[in-house]
Amino acid sequence: MKMKGDLIMKPSRLLGFLDLALGGALFLSGIYVLSHPREGLAGVSLFYGILAVGTGIVDLIFYFKMERRTGFGPAAALVTGILSLLAGVLLLFQPAAGVLSLAILFPLWFVAHCISELARLPLIRWSAGKGYYYFSLIINIIGLVLGIIMLAFPAACVLSLPWIAGIYLLLLGLHSVVLGMEKIISNW
């Protein structure tokens, strides 16, 4: 695969740029949600649908790349990729149902995504070192706890969704940006 000039882009560097782009989108969406908390949930539902589809695609790419390289892929990445895609498609094509189901789908997505990221931790520790390992561990444990709390209290989830989602999207965006930069720098 070629980039500008004669530079050849390695596939893992390309995945780093995808993580970087996803992280930027997640971070910007977190800022938007926090700065416009009174916007209707329909707009937020549509926006999360787009992000869920993007996250699902990245998880599936990770699964297939790992399976090709190692002979097996982390099943959590496959499951969360499929769940993210399904949630995203529902939110995109049925916005009214998306608003009503956001109280369940969003926490399930939180939990599924955090479990997927926690399943990747051994690989992250091996490839990125202890600092990023602990950063990822803490962010994903916080997300897992938030997801479980939102599942336990769906009414509170709907009322506080913009704030919880905004903060967590900022953390997810930061996580993806750091991971993307690590992949790009290590493969430069």
Side-chain angles (χ1 to χ4, degrees), residues 92-173:
L92 289 173
F93 292 108
Q94 294 294 328
V99 169
L100 295 175
S101 63
L102 211 53
I104 299 299
L105 285 177
F106 196 73
L108 283 176
W109 178 56
F110 256 49
V111 170
H113 184 74
C114 290
I115 289 171
S116 172
E117 291 297 316
L118 289 170
R120 294 181 195 180
L121 282 179
L123 180 64
I124 288 173
R125 186 172 193 164
W126 176 74
S127 66
K130 287 182 182 179
Y132 183 69
Y133 168 83
Y134 288 117
F135 175 75
S136 184
L137 176 69
I138 290 167
I139 283 180
N140 287 295
I141 288 174
I142 291 170
L144 190 59
V145 170
L146 281 175
I148 291 169
I149 290 171
M150 287 188 291
L151 282 171
F153 304 103
C157 172
V158 170
L159 294 175
S160 62
L161 185 61
W163 298 102
I164 293 171
I167 291 167
Y168 192 66
L169 284 170
L170 288 173
L171 292 173
L172 271 179

Side-chain angles (χ1 to χ4, degrees), residues 25-35 47 51 162 165-167 169-170:
L26 288 168
F27 195 81
L28 291 175
S29 66
I31 291 171
Y32 178 80
V33 169
L34 288 173
S35 65
F47 196 66
L51 291 175
I167 291 167
L169 284 170
L170 288 173

Side-chain angles (χ1 to χ4, degrees), residues 1-148:
M1 194 177 296
K2 293 228 178 211
M3 206 169 146
K4 288 184 178 179
D6 292 300
L7 294 175
I8 297 176
M9 185 180 285
K10 295 180 182 178
S12 54
R13 192 179 324 153
L14 177 62
L15 191 57
F17 281 112
L18 286 174
D19 278 333
L20 190 60
L22 178 63
L26 288 168
F27 195 81
L28 291 175
S29 66
I31 291 171
Y32 178 80
V33 169
L34 288 173
S35 65
H36 298 88
R38 293 187 181 192
E39 296 287 337
L41 284 179
V44 173
S45 175
L46 179 68
F47 196 66
Y48 286 127
I50 294 167
L51 291 175
V53 168
T55 302
I57 290 170
V58 169
D59 280 347
L60 290 173
I61 289 171
F62 174 76
Y63 170 80
F64 289 115
K65 285 185 74 64
M66 288 303 296
E67 185 173 25
R68 190 171 357 129
R69 286 186 178 174
T70 64
F72 67 94
L78 177 64
V79 171
T80 59
I82 292 170
L83 283 176
S84 291
L85 280 174
L86 290 175
V89 168
L90 175 67
L91 293 173
L92 289 173
F93 292 108
Q94 294 294 328
V99 169
L100 295 175
S101 63
L102 211 53
I104 299 299
L105 285 177
F106 196 73
L108 283 176
W109 178 56
F110 256 49
V111 170
H113 184 74
C114 290
I115 289 171
S116 172
E117 291 297 316
L118 289 170
R120 294 181 195 180
L121 282 179
L123 180 64
I124 288 173
R125 186 172 193 164
W126 176 74
S127 66
K130 287 182 182 179
Y132 183 69
Y133 168 83
Y134 288 117
F135 175 75
S136 184
L137 176 69
I138 290 167
I139 283 180
N140 287 295
I141 288 174
I142 291 170
L144 190 59
V145 170
L146 281 175
I148 291 169

